[in-house]
Amino acid sequence: NSAGYLSSTRVANLPMVTAIAPDSPAERAGIVVGDRIVAVGSDNFIGFGRDEVSKKINEVYTGAENYIGYPDLTVAKPVKRSMIMAAPQQDNFKPAFVSDITTSTTPAGREELIGYKLSKVRLRTASLEPFKPKSSRVDIPGIIPAASAADQQVISGGNAIVHWELLTSKESIFSKYKLGFDTKDYSDVGVSESNKNVADTGGETDRVGYIRMTRFSRASTAGYLQAVEELERAGAQSYIIDVRNNYGGIIQESMLTASSLLRDPHSVLCYTLNSRGGFTPHDVEEYVVDTRYPGYLLSSESPNVTYEQVKRDDPDFITGNNWYPPSSYASLHEQKMKRNYSRPTGIAAINPFQKRFYEDLKAEQVQQLRSQKKIAILINEGTASAAEVFVSSLHDNGRTVALVGSKTYGKGLIQHTFPMIDGGGLRMTVAEYLTPALQHVTKVGGAQYDRVTGDFVGGGVKPDVYCSSTQGIPSNIGADICVGVAMDALEDASFKDSVQLVTKSKAIRSEELERNTKRSYGFKSQ
């Protein structure tokens, strides 16, 4: 076209990247799901039909997984233009429940595909670059000084399934060196000079636990628990959980992991809608009674608090006596009355409407929020299936301060493979899951279009803060741009959160003082 891009028609028959192996050379080079393969070496696929491209690949590249070298790759990367419309005014804000989550907390808008831009990449094959956890320590002369022997020790570990590291200001290109902007301005949020020391977050982002999960399985759950144990021992104050290019895995493992981060046992993790019309909510309570449930993590509260609440609220659920789940054909109202489900708010500490949210909280709820360690989650086009369940279960229940990255793959289908007599298999979709906010992840037919504007929106989970993976995901965590963006989100959220909590705490103390004063003088409350 006029801008030098390839049109959608021109690339329609080219092989499309549908998955990226985490920590692979392709990931380092910035190849993402949705890219099109134009050429490998001198073999150019433009102008061939799909059958011809498939035949060429089968003839020439069968067994290519054993190739050792540096193949040249030409990739067509989609170029999109964002069309942003005005965000709703804060004065019109209502408490965000199911129908409000996507419209009240983010600006409305759409993406328009302009075309595809060619990019040439020379990759190492995976055999030349096997997985190896690397230090995030970065030395930049004049900006980040060389570390002393004592500072060189980096707390990290893991394997290709789950690996982790403790990020500090000394071990990243995002080191918070002073540039004259080392003070926070509290004047616009109503915090007095005397309360600045209370509102100051004091370094919640000085020690950030980074955990990358490349899939969900029993091994990943064990690795996640080990990572949390090591990072908690090392003094992590907030966390970044990285599920970029996590293709999913076992959905029960993703929900077990998510349940360990939610305080309320009645928080809904997802809904499943089967082919017969059955509609079943799955909440934290289901996993609290699992023998592998690790307890409530990443909080200063006891790990047993959620289990103890279940014992108080639903003792029969623990013992299994005289307790029956509602029918999967029951209405949402009936299921809520039976199980006391908590409706998702979608509100987290970074949300601009948080002040109104805190004003509606009780003192006990405020204390629970103050006990939680803040979490940011990294996502991209390769985040799919069970990983999207994990992301949406935390995001819709307000447990994350931000989703950072790009829109996820959009695979919310549950499929079953039926074996065939010829040795093949028939994969059939038998169910679909919906997010706690009752949103489809896979959108087909008319659901792919905005109900108001008619614009194509597609599926997937949208980030709160955009950060592209097309620049590559480096093996050095401290040099990852999106990790730096997530650290910024954690720091901003800590500041906003502290200001709101100070304001709410003062209001609670004032109410208690007023009640005690009236009680002392014999006044009756109105």
Side-chain angles (χ1 to χ4, degrees):
N1 57 32
S2 59
Y5 299 130
L6 295 177
S7 66
S8 299
T9 305
R10 190 91 165 121
V11 303
N13 294 330
L14 298 178
M16 184 171 67
V17 177
T18 57
I20 296 291
D23 299 301
S24 65
E27 183 182 80
R28 308 280 182 242
I31 297 176
V32 299
V33 170
D35 288 350
R36 300 275 184 165
I37 307 300
V38 176
V40 180
S42 60
D43 293 320
N44 194 308
F45 303 129
I46 289 184
F48 288 91
R50 293 189 180 184
D51 292 340
E52 294 174 295
V53 171
S54 178
K55 182 180 179 181
K56 183 78 170 178
I57 291 175
N58 291 331
E59 288 178 351
V60 179
Y61 298 102
T62 298
E65 63 274 9
N66 300 318
Y67 174 77
I68 298 177
Y70 298 82
D72 292 321
L73 200 67
T74 304
V75 179
K77 306 181 81 63
V79 178
K80 298 179 181 179
R81 176 171 55 194
S82 296
M83 310 292 287
I84 304 297
M85 291 176 280
Q89 298 296 320
Q90 294 191 20
D91 294 340
N92 299 328
F93 173 71
K94 307 183 297 296
F97 288 121
V98 172
S99 61
D100 301 315
I101 289 173
T102 56
T103 58
S104 296
T105 61
T106 55
R110 61 184 177 88
E111 289 183 336
E112 180 183 4
L113 179 65
I114 300 175
Y116 288 79
K117 183 178 181 180
L118 294 181
S119 175
K120 291 189 175 181
V121 180
R122 196 178 191 209
L123 296 177
R124 285 184 174 187
T125 54
S127 56
L128 288 176
E129 191 178 320
F131 171 78
K132 180 183 178 183
K134 297 183 180 180
S135 166
S136 66
R137 176 67 204 181
V138 178
D139 295 330
I140 303 178
I143 298 180
I144 303 177
S148 64
D151 291 335
Q152 292 255 353
Q153 183 179 4
V154 176
I155 299 172
S156 62
N159 51 38
I161 300 175
V162 179
H163 54 95
W164 66 89
E165 183 171 333
L166 182 69
L167 304 177
T168 72
S169 58
K170 297 179 180 178
E171 296 160 357
S172 169
I173 61 173
F174 312 104
S175 175
K176 289 179 280 185
Y177 52 89
K178 296 182 183 297
L179 294 175
F181 304 101
D182 56 347
T183 58
K184 295 184 177 72
D185 182 9
Y186 295 88
S187 59
D188 62 339
V189 289
V191 178
S192 65
E193 191 76 23
S194 60
N195 285 326
K196 283 185 180 182
N197 61 328
V198 179
D200 198 345
T201 57
E204 284 195 16
T205 53
D206 282 347
R207 285 179 171 265
V208 177
Y210 170 88
I211 303 174
R212 181 162 196 192
M213 306 177 69
T214 62
R215 73 196 69 168
F216 284 98
S217 61
R218 293 181 72 93
S220 73
T221 303
Y224 158 77
L225 295 177
Q226 183 182 0
V228 169
E229 181 181 356
E230 295 288 342
L231 292 170
E232 286 290 282
R233 186 182 297 120
Q237 296 300 310
S238 55
Y239 283 82
I240 296 172
I241 299 178
D242 189 349
V243 290
R244 289 175 294 181
N245 292 325
N246 182 322
Y247 58 79
I250 302 175
I251 189 172
Q252 290 82 1
E253 296 295 328
S254 74
M255 288 196 283
L256 176 62
T257 303
S259 67
S260 70
L261 300 172
L262 295 172
R263 171 67 168 79
D264 187 353
H266 306 299
S267 297
V268 175
L269 300 169
C270 74
Y271 296 89
T272 54
L273 177 66
N274 65 32
S275 56
R276 299 181 183 88
F279 189 67
T280 307
H282 303 275
D283 64 352
V284 172
E285 194 173 53
E286 289 184 29
Y287 292 88
V288 168
V289 296
D290 192 308
T291 55
R292 297 172 55 233
Y293 176 67
Y296 177 50
L297 304 178
L298 305 191
S299 170
S300 59
E301 291 188 90
S302 167
N304 297 323
V305 292
T306 303
Y307 181 79
E308 294 299 324
Q309 183 176 338
V310 174
K311 286 176 63 177
R312 292 192 304 270
D313 295 349
D314 300 304
D316 290 337
F317 186 79
I318 298 292
T319 62
N321 298 326
N322 301 318
W323 187 91
Y324 301 96
S327 166
S328 58
Y329 299 96
S331 66
L332 280 175
H333 175 74
E334 182 181 345
Q335 290 173 344
K336 185 179 186 302
M337 296 300 293
K338 176 75 173 180
R339 297 288 297 274
N340 194 29
Y341 292 127
S342 299
R343 300 184 73 183
T345 64
I347 300 179
I350 200 172
N351 192 281
F353 308 109
Q354 189 188 9
K355 182 175 181 180
R356 173 69 178 272
F357 177 57
Y358 272 123
E359 288 175 351
D360 296 334
L361 293 181
K362 299 178 181 178
E364 181 182 5
Q365 294 172 307
V366 172
Q367 186 57 43
Q368 290 174 5
L369 285 175
R370 300 192 72 170
S371 301
Q372 293 178 345
K373 296 186 176 181
K374 292 175 175 56
I375 300 172
I377 298 181
L378 294 175
I379 59 176
N380 72 351
E381 297 87 346
T383 304
S385 193
E388 291 173 295
V389 173
F390 173 78
V391 168
S392 59
S393 63
L394 295 180
H395 180 261
D396 289 358
N397 284 294
R399 185 62 183 91
T400 62
V401 302
L403 300 181
V404 178
S406 48
K407 190 169 68 170
T408 63
Y409 188 91
K411 184 182 183 298
L413 303 178
I414 301 171
Q415 296 171 317
H416 181 76
T417 301
F418 296 89
M420 309 296 286
I421 57 175
D422 61 355
L426 172 65
R427 181 173 294 175
M428 182 176 293
T429 299
V430 296
E432 177 190 10
Y433 73 79
L434 277 67
T435 72
L438 292 174
Q439 298 295 309
H440 294 272
V441 176
T442 299
K443 294 186 177 181
V444 298
Q448 299 178 88
Y449 300 88
D450 187 275
R451 289 181 298 177
V452 178
T453 65
D455 294 326
F456 179 82
V457 293
V461 178
K462 293 183 178 180
D464 300 308
V465 182
Y466 179 79
C467 182
S468 175
S469 296
T470 56
Q471 75 277 358
I473 302 176
S475 59
N476 185 334
I477 299 168
D480 191 328
I481 297 296
C482 292
V483 170
V485 173
M487 292 176 74
D488 287 343
L490 288 169
E491 187 170 13
D492 290 346
S494 295
F495 171 58
K496 294 176 184 177
D497 194 32
S498 297
V499 170
Q500 298 296 346
L501 287 170
V502 167
T503 306
K504 178 63 178 178
S505 297
K506 289 173 65 178
I508 291 173
R509 287 196 297 270
S510 298
E511 292 175 2
E512 291 177 347
L513 179 61
E514 183 179 0
R515 284 197 299 269
N516 292 337
T517 301
K518 289 182 177 180
R519 192 178 298 113
S520 299
Y521 287 94
F523 294 123
K524 293 183 179 180
S525 300
Q526 297 296 323

